Amino acid sequence: MTDVLVVADHRRGDLRDVSLELLSAGRELADATGGDLHAAVVSGNVESFTEELNRDGVDAIHTVDYGEEFNHDVYTQAVVALAEELDPEVVVVPNSVNGLDYAPAVATRLDRPYVSDATDLDYADGTLEVTREMYGSKVETTVDVAEGPFAVSIRGGEWPPAEGTGDAEISAFDVDIDEDAVRSNVKGFEEVGGGDVDIGDADFLVSIGRGIEEEENLELVEKLAEVTGATLSSSRPIVDNGWLPKNRQVGQSGKQVTPDVYLAIGISGAVQHVAGMKGADTIIAVNTDPNAPIFDIADYGVVGDLFDVVPALIEEFGGDAPSV
Ligand SMILES: Cc1cc2nc3c(=O)[nH]c(=O)nc-3n(C[C@H](O)[C@H](O)[C@H](O)COP(=O)(O)OP(=O)(O)OC[C@H]3O[C@@H](n4cnc5c(N)ncnc54)[C@H](O)[C@@H]3O)c2cc1C
């Protein structure tokens, strides 16, 4: 038992970014265990995902062609069957809504210890060391799991996406899904407010916090996002106030984001917010308070009033700032 099995995530026909991050985490683990890296993709048009999953360092890709969308019982049965067949040392799934749904069931059926929300992994001498955050991201802890084989779910945005083109062996894995044990089915989709914007995919985020004061003033940052080609996101109070939909919230109870640029405007930098955006390549903060914690992690900072700075930026990018 030295191999590593990672299970890709997809939604409505698109492979999710975390799937490529899983491959990087899985390759690191397989290097440590001395085994092969297997990737699995379950449901949907599985063939269409194999090209993207065939990245450098992937040894084998297994497709399970059953159903269109995520289904707890199908995933559980498929991943358990794959793990029983391949006998990997570690099963790695994304710490996504889907991953969190089936990973505990898989671990239970395989009788493996399971650790969720890993931000780093280290394997040596049969022990899996898992780094994860606790107490609202205030402390980082290391969990040593000594009795393998293991199951773990990894947090999105913590590993770089796997690159290059690999030469994985691609094969269909034939699972005899027990239909009587499939207890739920997806009947359709309804987009929640905010449409199909996924801030987790954005390269440039203009993010607004309570410094904006009033809902009407959002027009200002919407204009900045428009003229700079950015996507608008926010801290939690903006969502709690109902000014932006939940899918725009960055943070511990919102989305993990990893843009090239994160422009934090009127955001203090509370730990629960930082937990969601600290993976940004470049962080720029605008805040009136020079002691705001956001400046501790910002690469560039403007100590200033957003109602002066944002209109100046809009004009710099050739737009007309709305009067708020
Ligand atoms: C369990 C739990 C989960 C949470 N999850 C999340 C989460 O996912 N995401 C999240 O964001 N929060 C989350 N929070 C809330 C978090 O603790 C903070 O309350 C929140 O992030 C603060 O948002 P803010 O920075 O916009 O507001 P504030 O902390 O009020 O900061 C506003 C900032 O704007 C600045 N400012 C004011 N006026 C101006 C101006 N005119 N120009 C420029 N700057 C100005 C102020 O100096 C201040 O720094 C969570 C809390 C808990 C308990």
Side-chain angles (χ1 to χ4, degrees):
M1 258 186 310
T2 54
D3 291 353
V4 174
L5 170 66
V6 302
V7 187
D9 218 12
H10 58 86
R11 189 171 58 192
R12 306 196 69 184
D14 291 323
L15 200 67
R16 310 207 68 205
D17 288 350
V18 70
S19 302
L20 301 184
E21 296 162 15
L22 279 170
L23 298 177
S24 297
R27 188 61 258 169
E28 280 176 22
L29 276 174
D31 288 343
T33 58
D36 285 343
L37 173 60
H38 296 258
V41 59
V42 181
S43 303
N45 185 0
V46 283
E47 294 304 324
S48 68
F49 301 127
T50 55
E51 192 180 337
E52 252 184 291
L53 286 173
N54 194 358
R55 297 290 167 115
D56 207 13
V58 182
D59 296 296
I61 299 171
H62 308 272
T63 60
V64 178
D65 189 6
Y66 193 95
E68 275 311 301
E69 295 291 346
F70 174 79
N71 179 295
H72 167 89
D73 296 306
V74 172
Y75 266 62
T76 302
Q77 289 189 45
V79 178
V80 166
L82 264 161
E84 283 173 348
E85 170 84 12
L86 300 169
D87 209 9
E89 178 72 346
V90 194
V91 175
V92 191
V93 308
N95 203 65
S96 59
V97 172
N98 290 356
L100 285 173
D101 182 295
Y102 68 87
V106 166
T108 304
R109 290 193 197 186
L110 294 171
D111 197 20
R112 292 174 174 223
Y114 164 61
V115 186
S116 65
D117 205 16
T119 55
D120 200 7
L121 295 169
D122 205 4
Y123 177 93
D125 303 326
T127 296
L128 185 67
E129 204 178 273
V130 184
T131 305
R132 62 199 307 280
E133 293 173 348
M134 291 180 75
Y135 303 120
S137 302
K138 286 192 177 70
V139 293
E140 205 170 63
T141 56
T142 306
V143 183
D144 278 359
V145 198
E147 280 190 37
F150 314 96
V152 65
S153 55
I154 68 162
R155 186 183 284 194
E158 297 292 332
W159 278 264
E163 292 180 344
T165 307
D167 53 1
E169 199 173 297
I170 299 168
S171 59
F173 183 72
D174 197 14
V175 193
D176 194 10
I177 300 286
D178 175 3
E179 303 229 6
D180 290 339
V182 178
R183 295 159 294 177
S184 60
N185 275 304
V186 177
K187 294 269 190 193
F189 285 93
E190 199 174 313
E191 294 291 355
V192 292
D196 55 3
V197 172
D198 186 348
I199 59 172
D201 287 341
D203 293 330
F204 179 15
L205 285 171
V206 163
S207 207
I208 189 66
R210 194 145 45 188
I212 196 70
E213 293 174 6
E214 305 281 343
E215 183 175 12
E216 291 70 40
N217 299 341
L218 277 180
E219 205 188 327
L220 198 56
V221 281
E222 280 164 354
K223 185 70 186 177
L224 179 61
E226 183 194 314
V227 295
T228 56
T231 303
L232 189 63
S233 59
S234 77
S235 65
R236 179 167 161 171
I238 303 299
V239 171
D240 285 350
N241 284 348
W243 299 349
L244 284 175
K246 175 78 182 167
N247 64 349
R248 302 284 179 148
Q249 181 186 324
V250 173
Q252 182 195 320
S253 52
K255 273 251 175 193
Q256 307 280 325
V257 297
T258 50
D260 297 334
V261 178
Y262 188 82
L263 176 52
I265 303 172
I267 293 177
S268 59
V271 282
Q272 296 88 355
H273 185 79
V274 170
M277 46 66 81
K278 63 183 178 198
D281 276 353
T282 302
I283 298 168
I284 307 169
V286 179
N287 201 304
T288 42
D289 176 4
N291 297 315
I294 193 76
F295 287 127
D296 295 342
I297 57 158
D299 298 284
Y300 301 95
V302 180
V303 177
D305 189 327
L306 73 87
F307 295 102
D308 297 329
V309 177
V310 175
L313 280 172
I314 293 170
E315 276 155 32
E316 188 65 29
F317 281 88
D320 288 326
S323 52
V324 293

